[in-house]
Amino acid sequence: MEGQWSLTCVDAGSEYCPCHLAENGTCLACSLLSGEDFCDCRWSGSCSYLNYQFSQGVINKRSECTVLVNKKRLTPSLLDLRFRPKTSWLPKFAHAGTFLFLRPADAPYYAAVPISIVNITADEVWLVVNCIGPKSSLLMRTDSQVIIRGPYYGALTNSHVLKKTRDANVIMVAGGTGQSALVLAAKTLLRGGNRLWACLAPGSTDLIYVGQTLRKYGVEVNEVSSLRRYGAKIIMNQLTQLEPSLVICAGPEELQTTILTMLCSIGSKAEFVHTKNNVMCCGEGLCGSCLTNHFGQKRVPLCKAQYSFRGGN
Ligand code: FES
């Protein structure tokens, strides 16, 4: 397929820029900081190169904090966690695609798992964990003290496009824990005057847990027991009728491929944003667990990358 990848850093221009990738010469946003002798950046609103010069080598690290969580078991493996936010967290934790690393207070740092923030209000931060792996299962067994690290912003492939989408139709599709990415995305899009339609399925979590919240904010929600069996036809109809400017798919890769194939089959020009399903351990572009050469160039850490594909003729 002709076309090219648009690739930048999710933290470019934020308070977490510059980061360790500027130090080690692998900055995703700035060609000067990645060893070139010319500027080739996609202007993010601030200059990563100047930020790095002015910071004099000081990197603004994400902080760790112990919080007291209210735990509720939603299904045998699904855990609902809520804790009170500090006032300073409200704007930082509210971006579409925000996630935190969580671990029990008595667990080592390498037990931390990345978990999307489902929603944040003045009273609570809400997360849902599917405790099916060795790390996430520790959260099921722990008492109420949990250490959080963050915020990280790279749960979606291109959250920047959500802020730019205005007065448009948007379709959101989610299954399993992908649902966790939809509420913050919906709130961002509703602020831009967009009209939102969502199709949700329980998937691997056996539960639809964001339907009510999305409806409360004004999203039209369609719940199905299986996206593959019942959702696909409904989604195809909506894609044809609504002609959305943006489609967000939050779920397994098989689902993302199905939705992308639908978009291609009707010649849709909609932006396609999806959740990243790769393993993440550090979130800082350093550990290598999420490295990919998917973009046809040097290996890129997906935890830091924001990307979209622009097709050619
Ligand atoms: S999670 Fe460590 S490099 Fe991406």
Side-chain angles (χ1 to χ4, degrees), residues 44 86-87 110 114 128 160 163 204 209 244 312:
S44 64
K86 293 180 184 172
T87 311
Y110 45 78
V128 172
H160 295 153
K163 291 180 193 152
S204 59
Y209 54 87

Side-chain angles (χ1 to χ4, degrees), residues 279-290 301-303:
V279 173
M280 289 189 197
C281 291
C282 71
E284 303 284 356
L286 292 175
C287 73
S289 60
C290 68
L302 279 177
C303 60

Side-chain angles (χ1 to χ4, degrees), residues 3-7 292-300 309:
Q4 61 177 10
W5 287 102
S6 161
L7 176 67
T292 179
N293 51 13
H294 191 59
F295 305 106
Q297 47 178 282
K298 60 192 175 187
R299 292 196 299 169
V300 166
F309 188 79

Side-chain angles (χ1 to χ4, degrees), residues 95-150:
H95 296 281
T98 303
F99 66 93
L100 303 171
F101 280 91
L102 265 64
R103 63 183 160 98
D106 57 358
Y109 71 90
Y110 45 78
V113 277
I115 305 293
S116 284
I117 292 181
V118 181
N119 196 13
I120 179 167
T121 64
D123 299 322
E124 67 178 18
V125 179
W126 173 27
L127 307 105
V128 172
V129 188
N130 202 13
C131 301
I132 51 173
K135 291 183 185 175
S136 52
S137 300
L138 294 175
L139 289 164
M140 187 66 96
R141 291 201 297 270
T142 188
D143 65 4
S144 57
Q145 289 210 339
V146 169
I147 295 175
I148 62 167
R149 170 165 52 87

Side-chain angles (χ1 to χ4, degrees), residues 125-202:
V125 179
W126 173 27
L127 307 105
V128 172
V129 188
N130 202 13
C131 301
I132 51 173
K135 291 183 185 175
S136 52
S137 300
L138 294 175
L139 289 164
M140 187 66 96
R141 291 201 297 270
T142 188
D143 65 4
S144 57
Q145 289 210 339
V146 169
I147 295 175
I148 62 167
R149 170 165 52 87
Y152 294 87
Y153 298 123
L156 295 172
T157 51
N158 188 358
S159 49
H160 295 153
V161 79
L162 275 63
K163 291 180 193 152
K164 290 190 209 148
T165 304
R166 310 233 159 230
D167 303 317
N169 289 335
V170 177
I171 287 182
M172 305 195 295
V173 179
T177 48
Q179 296 174 73
S180 294
L182 289 198
V183 176
L184 294 184
K187 286 165 85 174
T188 302
L189 287 161
L190 289 166
R191 281 195 290 274
N194 298 291
R195 297 164 295 280
L196 274 55
W197 179 86
C199 189
L200 309 177

Side-chain angles (χ1 to χ4, degrees), residues 250-306:
E253 255 162 56
E254 188 190 349
L255 174 64
Q256 296 173 4
T257 305
T258 303
I259 301 298
L260 192 54
T261 305
M262 284 183 189
L263 287 170
C264 292
S265 73
I266 58 172
S268 171
K269 297 270 186 254
E271 293 274 0
F272 182 62
V273 171
H274 60 86
T275 45
K276 299 175 191 166
N277 295 327
N278 50 291
V279 173
M280 289 189 197
C281 291
C282 71
E284 303 284 356
L286 292 175
C287 73
S289 60
C290 68
L291 281 177
T292 179
N293 51 13
H294 191 59
F295 305 106
Q297 47 178 282
K298 60 192 175 187
R299 292 196 299 169
V300 166
L302 279 177
C303 60
K304 299 285 278 186
Q306 288 283 278

